[in-house]
Amino acid sequence: MKDINAQALLAQVMDWKDPEVVGRNASVLQLLADYKYNHYQRFGPGKQFIESLALWLNQFDKADRKVALELVHDKLIFISEREISHLVKLSYPDVIVQDRLQLVAEENEIARYKVAALAKHRRFEELRIRSLYLGLSDGAHTNELRRASNGAISNEQIWQAYELGDAKAEDMLEALRKSLAIGNFSPRPGENPSGKERFSLIWLVDDFSGSGNTYIRYDAEERKFKGKIKKIYERIYEGDLINPDYYEVSLLLYVATRQAIDHIEYWSERFTNEKGYKPLKVHVLHPIEKYSSLSASHDAAIIEIAKQDRYYDERASDEHIRIGGTSDAKLGFAACALPLILSHNTPNNSIYALWGPEDKSFFGLFPRVSRHREL
């Protein structure tokens, strides 16, 4: 009964008079809702997609509602929790293990196709033990990644933060020393002159990047690099957790736009070259290519609506948005103009009309909860 009422409300908002039109549109939208959209985790108690869609469309002028609905019908990309979970499960065998096999092949001059020989090599097991995994946000799914490794990643190798306290770091190093002692592993000649056992492979893990600015960027005014990647590299050289004589840093993203990938690779290369650090390796399981973004050439009507002041709340134009190089968030952070929804929260790289918080004068179809508290 609730679905029927929501569909009736939607028909009223869209001014659909023909029962055939109502039935055709309602059936498609209800299928999408049941399959994915009802599972958006930021919907309020008792609220589902069709009802939210009707209330969202009602904010638009009648002349613009058809275009707004076409955005949902034809352009929306919704990545469900089940799909993210699938990517997490692929991460260890398809990315992490393959990278370690490549390192063993290069160090020992073994052909890369000799997988059995590489996997049996003592160095392969040693590098498994010397691997450290750090979550870059609460979307990193580090617990699920650990479970998906079938015991290859231990609790002492993984942490849901990229900034570790001294006490936790020491606990992890103590567990590392014990694991290496059990396997009778010792540093290779010249590899660890300090004599302290440390981690060598650092995996930075996150679920999504839309622009890459959070990870690495250059502040022209202050003439310095900023971001999580910069902090990680500084920790390598300033702390005792990671071996500065032998290390590899890898960024593992479950989903990322091509814009973000290009940005991270471009600026991380300049950062590491300037500081004399080893280069960052970027791994993305599911890249979102540039053609997925909304553009003036292919989506002129949608872009025109998204840019209008009446479909925006200026309170969204805060200091965090300006880091992306734009004065407002109408087309999203860094003007990414994505039509993307993640089931746990809509990224602010999508157009504002999709993610505007519920307390704003214009709210989004999939309201976002910001990571930053407004003052």
Side-chain angles (χ1 to χ4, degrees):
M1 180 61 70
K2 183 175 180 180
D3 288 342
I4 294 174
N5 292 337
Q7 291 172 14
L9 176 61
L10 178 61
Q12 180 180 346
V13 169
M14 293 302 299
D15 197 26
W16 291 331
K17 305 297 186 184
D18 187 341
E20 184 178 341
V21 174
V22 175
R24 183 171 63 251
N25 282 277
S27 61
V28 171
L29 290 168
Q30 190 63 58
L31 177 63
L32 292 171
D34 293 340
Y35 181 62
K36 279 192 176 183
Y37 300 162
N38 281 344
H39 302 290
Y40 183 61
Q41 296 173 19
R42 301 278 75 82
F43 281 152
K47 184 183 289 187
Q48 292 190 309
F49 172 70
I50 299 295
E51 175 190 355
S52 300
L53 176 62
L55 295 174
W56 178 70
L57 288 169
N58 195 49
Q59 299 175 103
F60 292 93
D61 294 344
K62 286 188 176 181
D64 294 331
R65 290 174 189 174
K66 182 180 179 181
V67 174
L69 186 59
E70 287 174 355
L71 165 64
V72 178
H73 260 299
D74 304 331
K75 295 293 182 179
L76 204 63
I77 301 171
F78 190 106
I79 300 180
S80 67
E81 187 66 20
R82 183 173 60 181
E83 289 167 330
I84 288 291
S85 179
H86 179 67
L87 294 175
V88 175
K89 291 172 182 176
L90 291 177
S91 297
Y92 189 78
D94 287 8
V95 177
I96 295 171
V97 168
Q98 300 307 315
D99 183 78
R100 196 158 74 243
L101 288 170
Q102 182 65 36
L103 288 173
V104 175
E106 293 172 354
E107 289 181 0
N108 298 278
E109 298 183 350
I110 300 174
R112 180 62 179 84
Y113 67 84
K114 296 183 178 181
V115 176
L118 293 170
K120 292 178 181 178
H121 199 285
R122 279 179 56 80
R123 183 63 168 167
F124 182 75
E125 174 64 9
E126 180 184 0
L127 289 176
R128 181 193 68 79
I129 297 171
R130 291 188 182 275
S131 296
L132 176 66
Y133 303 86
L134 303 176
L136 298 184
S137 76
D138 56 5
H141 295 260
T142 50
N143 285 338
E144 190 173 357
L145 176 63
R146 177 181 57 80
R147 290 191 294 269
S149 74
N150 292 319
I153 301 175
S154 69
N155 278 321
E156 292 74 23
Q157 291 176 274
I158 198 164
W159 189 245
Q160 181 53 50
Y162 64 96
E163 295 179 296
L164 290 169
D166 291 338
K168 179 60 182 177
E170 185 54 42
D171 287 345
M172 298 178 93
L173 288 174
E174 179 60 28
L176 172 64
R177 285 189 283 270
K178 290 180 180 178
S179 296
L180 291 171
I182 292 172
N184 196 28
F185 292 108
S186 58
R188 299 167 65 175
E191 183 180 89
N192 193 10
S194 68
K196 296 181 179 180
E197 298 293 5
R198 301 179 187 177
F199 292 100
S200 294
L201 305 185
I202 306 97
W203 286 91
L204 311 177
V205 184
D206 213 348
D207 61 341
F208 173 76
S209 179
S211 69
N213 279 269
T214 301
Y215 302 99
I216 187 75
R217 63 184 183 276
Y218 183 75
D219 190 317
E221 292 184 1
E222 299 184 26
R223 295 184 178 181
K224 65 179 182 180
F225 288 94
K226 294 183 177 181
K228 297 177 180 180
I229 291 171
K230 170 182 177 292
K231 293 179 180 179
I232 289 293
Y233 274 94
E234 289 175 346
R235 179 62 193 264
I236 290 174
Y237 283 90
E238 293 174 2
D240 293 330
L241 191 63
I242 298 160
N243 182 2
D245 302 306
Y246 181 91
Y247 69 93
E248 299 280 348
V249 182
S250 298
L251 174 64
L252 173 61
L253 299 169
Y254 305 133
V255 181
T257 66
R258 181 58 56 185
Q259 178 178 340
I261 297 169
D262 292 345
H263 174 94
I264 294 170
E265 290 180 339
Y266 179 87
W267 286 110
S268 66
E269 180 181 3
R270 276 144 188 80
F271 167 68
T272 54
N273 285 344
E274 178 182 299
K275 301 296 183 179
Y277 299 152
K278 293 195 70 173
L280 176 76
K281 295 192 289 188
V282 181
H283 304 270
V284 179
L285 279 96
H286 181 58
I288 297 178
E289 301 298 342
K290 293 181 180 179
Y291 57 74
S292 297
S293 295
L294 301 172
S295 65
S297 58
H298 294 95
D299 312 290
I302 297 173
I303 293 293
E304 182 62 30
I305 287 177
K307 287 183 175 180
Q308 294 186 32
D309 291 339
R310 63 180 178 275
Y311 305 141
Y312 184 68
D313 192 317
E314 283 296 334
R315 289 177 293 175
S317 303
D318 59 17
E319 59 184 293
H320 306 292
I321 291 298
R322 289 189 285 274
I323 290 175
T326 60
S327 59
D328 62 54
K330 292 175 182 176
L331 296 182
F333 183 84
C336 290
L338 292 174
L340 176 68
I341 312 297
L342 301 179
S343 62
H344 71 282
N345 207 16
T346 304
N348 63 1
N349 308 93
S350 292
I351 59 173
Y352 172 84
L354 288 175
W355 61 261
E358 290 181 297
D359 61 346
K360 298 295 189 285
S361 59
F362 185 95
F363 56 86
L365 176 56
F366 297 94
R368 168 182 170 80
V369 175
S370 175
R371 293 189 300 112
H372 305 286
R373 181 170 177 255
E374 290 186 8
L375 300 177

